[in-house]
Amino acid sequence: MIHCLAAFFGCLGFSFIFRIFKNIHFALIGSVLGALGYFIYTNLDFTDNVYLQTFIGMLAVSLLSEMFARMLKAPATIFIIIGCFPLVPGSGIYNTMLYAVQGYDNLFVSSLLQTFGISMSIALGILISSTMLQVYKHIKNHEYEKSE
């Protein structure tokens, strides 16, 4: 729980950097979503698959961000950007650059591929949630053609 609390305050700090504090509700909701995403990420530790953990955590954050964006009539990007910070592979990026500078080629490639995989898991979670929402909206509004 301490890690989730730290994730909340970390997201809240980033919301101040991005000047979302003008509407404190958005900053608090984004921070709660970030803590929730990190909570899901840590509770899926039994899978031993960091890519799946990251994907499911980001999918939850992104779906809830889309929901809050519709409820509060705000861009979903506000909540997604703040909510994704605990899942971003910061140490992986740092280690990748460190191994590149120090000349450890095998460690560099391994770290690069893992960091790239985690980043793609985050992007895929956002993409799928956004696509699911668009498909749902088209079906709800009957904006599809019936094939004859």
Side-chain angles (χ1 to χ4, degrees):
M1 289 311 271
I2 293 174
H3 292 284
C4 293
L5 191 61
F8 171 79
F9 285 114
C11 290
L12 192 60
F14 274 109
S15 69
F16 285 106
I17 291 172
F18 290 124
R19 299 185 186 274
I20 299 175
F21 61 86
K22 292 179 181 178
N23 194 339
I24 195 70
H25 294 97
F26 294 169
L28 290 174
I29 289 171
S31 300
V32 167
L33 291 177
L36 178 68
Y38 190 74
F39 179 75
I40 292 170
Y41 172 82
T42 56
N43 282 331
L44 291 173
D45 198 26
F46 66 90
T47 62
D48 290 330
N49 188 344
V50 70
Y51 309 114
L52 182 64
Q53 289 174 257
T54 305
F55 170 73
I56 293 174
M58 193 61 222
L59 185 64
V61 168
S62 187
L63 284 172
L64 289 170
S65 295
E66 295 281 351
M67 183 187 75
F68 279 113
R70 300 298 180 264
M71 287 177 17
L72 300 173
K73 297 188 182 348
T77 313
I78 293 172
F79 305 115
I80 291 172
I81 288 175
I82 297 301
C84 79
F85 275 112
L87 301 174
V88 171
S91 64
I93 295 168
Y94 173 79
N95 287 332
T96 300
M97 294 312 299
L98 180 68
Y99 297 145
V101 170
Q102 291 181 344
Y104 297 120
D105 295 335
N106 291 334
L107 291 173
F108 165 71
V109 171
S110 173
S111 180
L112 177 70
L113 291 176
Q114 183 177 14
T115 303
F116 185 72
I118 293 170
S119 301
M120 288 299 105
S121 297
I122 291 171
L124 191 61
I126 296 170
L127 175 74
I128 287 177
S129 71
S130 178
T131 304
M132 283 174 32
L133 183 71
Q134 293 297 322
V135 168
Y136 171 75
K137 193 166 79 171
H138 285 293
I139 290 173
K140 182 181 170 187
N141 294 333
H142 303 291
E143 293 179 1
Y144 57 90
E145 292 183 1
K146 293 182 181 179
S147 59
E148 296 180 29

